Amino acid sequence: MKESKGSAIHMEVDWERFMSANDMEWVVKPVSWDEGAFLGNGLLGTMVYGEEHASKRHVLRMVTGRTDVTANRVDKPGFPPRVPLGELDLELAGRIYHPTHMRVSLWNAELLATLTTTSGEVKLRSLVHSLYPVIAVEIETTPGESAARCAWYAYPEVDPILKNADGVNLNQYIPSTEVEHTEVADGIHVCTQRYSGEDGCVTAWKDVQITPNRRICWLSVANGHNESAVAEAVEAVAQASAANFEEWVQAHRAWWHQYYRQSFVSLPDGRLESFYWIQMYKLASATRPDKPLIDNQGPWLTSTPWPGVWFNMNVQMSYSPVYTANRLHMGESLVRSLTDNWDNLILNVPEDCRHDSAGLGRSCSFDLRAQVEDEVGNLTWISHSIWRHYRYAMDEKMLGEVLFPILKRSVNYYRHLLEEGTDGFLHLPPTISPEYGSFMRTTVRDCHYDVSLLRWGCETLLHISQKLAMKDPLIQEWEDILKKLVPLPVDETGFMVGQDMPLAYGHRHFSHLLAIFPLHLVSGDTQEEYELIATSLRHWLSKEGDLRGFSMTGAASIAAVLGWGDEAWRLLQSLLLIIKPNTMYKEAGPVIETPLAGAESIHDMLLQSWGGKLRVLPAVPEAWTELAFHDLRAEGAFLVSAVRKEGVTQWIRVKSLAGEPCLVKTGWKGLVRWNIIGNDNNVRVSGESFIDDEIALDLHEDEEVILFIGEAVPDLRVQPVQGTDKVSRYFGGHKPWRLYGFHSGRL
């Protein structure tokens, strides 16, 4: 991945102070998953909350998950689902009372709490270490709470009052579990849970009294239940407990501090700014380059009908913010998952197609075994995510060795389905447009979802062949498909679901609008395309019956394509009414993709880069007179920064990491000046030109350009912006009263 070597931009950000104002905070004890405090390192995670039942008011729960722990079903066919592991409970002498305060420090990725009880006070610090598979809980107590302790309960041993606090989903598979407790050397306890065969997990923990009023508990979970799993969990705890604790914590913090600095966004809308940074925190808590891909819940499994990986939207939306946020390494878990499970992608298609094809069904476990049925395009859409990764990194090895073979096989499966009609066009047989008529399994010929993905796939294969000077024998076939493929079905309401099937009722998915977003097969650059996009969006939103949170994110991104900043903002405000107080999201069960996709919608308001153009501040709401961003990444491996003041873009900076062609839509008309700065930080060339929005620039690798209006180079500092709606630590628990009064404003 191309990296920056320096910049003419001056960052003036007190990161700790800035992030502090965006922390999640609780002024009362959270009592559900919906408002719990979450921690994670891409594999292990905890969701921290309590319970209001009179017998459990002395307990603070740390419900624990490890993403890759699954269980083979023995009740009926189906993929191995995620399963609940148990919880580490902080058991107090007294009942948790007032005043109690909890806060997740985003900057340090730590939970800090002061728990007032009827017997005393407990100060708590907890983290899931960024580098090691270990959870740490440190407590300091007053004399009345000296007996406070951490206790691990395997899922079958969790008190039913706690186990059922978030409800029971009857569709969720809970395996029969054998639980065994042992103690090994040096005070390390081990709990082994066996499901069936090799499935299970091992939890190891050690609780140490450091001083009369201070204790630390270290806990680790390993996948499996054999001797090596026991050794893995025990060794992780032994190493962590033997380390200097403060140095161990500092190593954890250093990882997060480096992660956050990869890009910067500051908005005048304080709620959206906080929401955005919590999603950046959530992203790195849910996955890492060497960890499992993001499934429907990340490390925070709870009662759900969806304990697995869904590929008709969820995975794609979960990864959508990594690209513009300049956090491409977070997307490597998706790339690796596809390459590691290459053989299973082939087994997912019918046997007579396996010689040249591959695919992905709707849902599966981490092995990606999901038979393709009537929902055909999922692997092609996932290929679009890998295409984005390539375009933002310009990594030709990934292009040739990962994307090309996967995309070629997914398009080949479509080739097996194509039929030439009497009209001379190539048509697709009835397939499913994801989420449209789901209960009826509605299928439709020439489904927009599939026709748009097939067209994008052929265009992209031809582009790759040209880019890499490949002479693939199917080049002529892809060209012929593009010439003869049936046009996307359209009527007076805009894009249709498929042939002879207009959007007739509520449709929460934007699968019938994929050509607009995220594929950008239609750009809106012509009046005809603009009207088609606008008509399609209005008609979709007019069918309110089945719209959901992820509908708002998709609609906001489409509005941003049209430059409708105010509309995109309103749609995101609607999203904030739907998400949970801790920025999680839940329908019939929790799913992680919607808030993460909300971060991508914010990106689309600030920077778009499809179609060979960098669109800077393309959809800014009228009220956002001030904003700033730095080192957002764009297609072509560009890093882009911009500052807006008093409703005017002050300057734009574009840094090229790969020497690709650079065409920038600036939003300016008139005289624009620029300085191109070499990798030695000296101005190589200056110029000026009268432009009508767009300007083409010749940037070499590691060069950057500063674009500005006015006589002199402007102030190139990037700082957090202020705004009338800034609210410190809005998210966390239920506290709508904090919108007003002395709590408002930055601290």
Side-chain angles (χ1 to χ4, degrees):
M1 184 175 72
K2 303 288 187 179
E3 299 293 348
S4 176
K5 295 183 179 178
S7 173
I9 304 304
H10 306 292
M11 287 289 291
E12 293 192 358
V13 179
D14 181 338
W15 277 95
E16 185 168 9
R17 181 180 176 86
F18 173 77
M19 295 297 289
S20 172
N22 294 312
D23 288 348
M24 290 180 284
E25 186 176 53
W26 293 257
V27 293
V28 294
K29 175 187 66 177
V31 293
S32 70
W33 184 95
D34 297 11
E35 59 177 39
F38 58 92
L39 302 165
N41 68 358
L43 181 67
L44 291 180
T46 61
M47 183 68 81
V48 183
Y49 54 104
E51 163 59 33
E52 280 299 271
H53 191 280
S55 66
K56 296 298 176 183
R57 287 181 182 165
H58 68 296
V59 174
L60 187 69
R61 310 172 65 190
M62 288 167 269
V63 180
T64 304
R66 176 169 164 139
T67 307
D68 60 354
V69 176
T70 61
N72 284 303
R73 301 193 72 130
V74 296
D75 59 333
K76 64 179 183 180
F79 65 79
R82 295 273 305 278
V83 292
L85 308 186
E87 57 190 70
L88 182 66
D89 287 349
L90 175 59
E91 297 178 338
L92 308 170
R95 297 180 179 184
I96 300 174
Y97 202 55
H98 303 296
T100 278
H101 179 264
M102 290 174 50
R103 179 168 163 182
V104 169
S105 165
L106 299 179
W107 181 237
N108 291 327
E110 296 171 9
L111 171 63
L112 306 172
T114 300
L115 307 175
T116 302
T117 77
T118 52
S119 299
E121 183 180 270
V122 176
K123 291 187 181 298
L124 174 145
R125 174 170 61 163
S126 181
L127 59 91
V128 181
H129 203 281
S130 54
L131 303 176
Y132 309 109
V134 177
I135 300 165
V137 181
E138 177 189 30
I139 61 172
E140 295 184 17
T141 62
T142 60
E145 282 291 352
S146 59
R149 70 179 192 120
C150 290
W152 169 257
Y153 295 94
Y155 184 75
E157 300 171 334
V158 175
D159 190 299
I161 292 172
L162 299 178
K163 188 182 295 185
N164 299 326
D166 287 311
V168 174
N169 193 294
L170 298 178
N171 294 314
Q172 186 169 9
Y173 177 66
I174 305 297
S176 297
T177 306
E178 176 187 337
V179 180
E180 178 185 0
H181 288 271
T182 57
E183 184 173 348
V184 297
D186 201 25
I188 297 176
H189 301 267
V190 174
C191 173
T192 302
Q193 297 183 67
R194 298 181 179 88
Y195 309 139
S196 59
E198 297 299 315
D199 297 330
C201 65
V202 174
T203 304
W205 71 97
K206 182 178 182 179
D207 194 335
V208 177
Q209 189 87 41
I210 306 297
T211 67
N213 71 330
R214 178 172 174 253
R215 304 177 69 93
I216 301 176
C217 180
W218 294 269
L219 180 142
S220 186
V221 181
N223 189 6
H225 59 70
N226 56 20
E227 290 183 4
S228 64
V230 173
E232 176 186 332
V234 169
E235 180 64 16
V237 170
Q239 289 186 0
S241 60
N244 178 289
F245 187 66
E246 290 307 320
E247 292 178 358
W248 190 77
V249 170
Q250 286 303 319
H252 160 80
R253 291 177 174 180
W255 186 95
W256 280 95
H257 297 171
Q258 182 181 29
Y259 166 77
Y260 285 125
R261 287 188 171 103
Q262 288 163 336
S263 62
F264 176 76
V265 170
S266 183
L267 307 174
D269 182 328
R271 287 199 304 169
L272 270 186
E273 181 182 274
S274 294
F275 170 81
Y276 176 84
W277 283 104
I278 294 168
Q279 303 325 300
M280 294 301 102
Y281 165 75
K282 186 185 298 176
L283 180 66
S285 299
T287 192
R288 296 290 172 85
D290 59 342
K291 299 298 188 291
L293 84 168
I294 305 176
D295 69 341
N296 275 22
Q297 294 202 309
W300 309 291
L301 184 74
T302 187
S303 177
T304 180
W306 305 307
V309 190
W310 261 250
F311 280 103
N312 62 348
M313 176 195 66
N314 304 71
V315 171
Q316 294 90 330
M317 293 181 72
S318 292
Y319 281 93
S320 64
V322 308
Y323 311 110
T324 306
N326 195 24
R327 306 180 196 281
L328 291 184
H329 56 303
M330 292 295 107
E332 291 173 11
S333 57
L334 174 59
V335 177
R336 184 176 44 76
S337 179
L338 294 171
T339 57
D340 286 353
N341 294 288
W342 170 258
D343 291 342
N344 287 342
L345 296 176
I346 295 172
L347 292 173
N348 288 336
V349 298
E351 187 172 358
D352 60 350
C353 299
R354 291 174 187 167
H355 63 285
D356 68 356
S357 303
L360 257 177
R362 178 176 298 180
S363 56
C364 56
S365 190
F366 296 101
D367 59 5
L368 307 193
R369 285 300 306 271
Q371 294 294 314
V372 178
E373 297 177 344
D374 294 333
E375 195 173 271
V376 176
N378 299 336
L379 182 58
T380 316
W381 191 3
I382 282 291
S383 296
H384 181 263
S385 297
I386 306 305
W387 166 254
R388 291 191 71 190
H389 198 128
Y390 155 70
R391 283 290 293 149
Y392 284 71
M394 296 308 298
D395 181 347
E396 291 192 0
K397 183 177 180 181
M398 172 188 288
L399 184 67
E401 297 182 6
V402 179
L403 176 59
F404 184 79
I406 291 175
L407 181 57
K408 180 178 176 178
R409 277 187 167 266
S410 73
V411 167
N412 276 346
Y413 187 61
Y414 276 124
R415 289 178 54 235
H416 289 292
L417 302 178
L418 283 170
E419 305 165 346
E420 186 164 356
T422 57
D423 56 4
F425 286 116
L426 293 174
H427 295 267
L428 287 171
T431 57
I432 285 177
S433 179
E435 305 285 348
Y436 191 70
S438 296
F439 294 135
M440 298 177 288
R441 294 194 62 81
T442 300
T443 60
V444 57
R445 286 178 57 82
D446 296 334
C447 174
H448 177 108
Y449 181 72
D450 291 301
V451 174
S452 61
L453 284 166
L454 176 55
R455 181 169 294 280
W456 172 83
C458 289
E459 289 179 355
T460 303
L461 287 169
L462 290 170
H463 176 92
I464 297 171
S465 298
Q466 183 179 19
K467 176 77 174 177
L468 301 182
M470 301 169 63
K471 298 184 182 298
D472 194 281
L474 293 178
I475 286 176
Q476 187 61 53
E477 292 250 12
W478 301 328
E479 291 176 343
D480 290 344
I481 290 173
L482 290 176
K483 290 176 184 175
K484 299 175 66 176
L485 186 62
V486 63
L488 290 165
V490 173
D491 69 2
E492 68 278 2
T493 67
F495 281 118
M496 302 168 68
V497 177
Q499 184 186 98
D500 301 323
M501 185 178 288
L503 183 69
Y505 47 83
H507 183 23
R508 60 186 184 172
H509 203 309
F510 49 90
S511 55
H512 69 298
L513 301 177
L514 227 63
I516 306 171
F517 173 80
L519 300 182
H520 298 295
L521 296 176
V522 291
S523 65
D525 288 343
T526 67
Q527 188 62 31
E528 182 181 7
E529 286 190 351
Y530 183 92
E531 291 298 333
L532 175 59
I533 295 171
T535 299
S536 301
L537 178 60
R538 291 189 184 107
H539 181 67
W540 178 37
L541 293 179
S542 72
K543 304 292 184 180
E544 296 183 59
D546 200 32
L547 297 180
R548 296 292 188 270
F550 57 83
S551 314
M552 299 300 107
T553 68
S557 289
I558 293 172
V561 168
L562 295 169
W564 292 358
D566 285 339
E567 184 63 29
W569 189 23
R570 281 192 291 269
L571 288 160
L572 290 179
Q573 298 305 315
S574 298
L575 172 68
L576 295 185
L577 297 175
I578 300 171
I579 65 165
K580 300 306 178 183
N582 59 2
T583 81
M584 290 294 184
Y585 179 72
K586 183 184 287 187
E587 291 178 7
V591 277
I592 196 174
E593 84 291 317
T594 292
L596 291 171
E600 174 68 347
S601 299
I602 293 171
H603 289 153
D604 287 335
M605 298 165 72
L606 303 179
L607 177 66
Q608 299 173 34
S609 60
W610 45 271
K613 297 179 184 179
L614 311 185
R615 297 162 175 83
V616 181
L617 301 176
V620 178
E622 187 176 349
W624 289 10
T625 58
E626 316 277 320
L627 63 80
F629 67 82
H630 178 59
D631 274 359
L632 291 184
R633 188 176 277 247
E635 289 192 10
F638 295 101
L639 297 180
V640 185
S641 307
V643 166
R644 180 176 172 87
K645 293 182 180 179
E646 298 179 353
V648 177
T649 303
Q650 301 296 300
W651 51 266
I652 297 169
R653 167 270 203 168
V654 179
K655 185 177 183 70
S656 175
L657 305 182
E660 288 289 299
C662 181
L663 179 60
V664 186
K665 289 179 68 69
T666 66
W668 292 324
K669 293 185 179 182
L671 183 64
V672 172
R673 294 182 171 86
W674 69 88
N675 292 329
I676 294 179
I677 302 168
N679 56 17
D680 58 0
N681 280 336
N682 293 318
V683 175
R684 176 171 69 86
V685 62
S686 297
E688 60 182 41
S689 181
F690 284 93
I691 68 167
D692 183 4
D693 190 11
E694 296 183 1
I695 183 169
L697 298 158
D698 180 21
L699 294 180
H700 303 154
E701 184 174 336
D702 290 328
E703 287 187 340
E704 65 180 42
V705 63
I706 305 296
L707 296 161
F708 58 96
I709 51 178
E711 295 291 333
V713 177
D715 181 356
L716 296 179
R717 289 180 297 174
V718 176
Q719 301 170 307
V721 303
Q722 301 303 312
T724 56
D725 296 325
K726 291 287 187 175
V727 181
S728 290
R729 298 188 285 278
Y730 174 82
F731 293 100
H734 289 283
K735 47 183 182 299
W737 57 86
R738 306 201 85 207
L739 285 172
Y740 304 103
F742 70 89
H743 289 293
S744 296
R746 292 286 177 177
L747 296 186

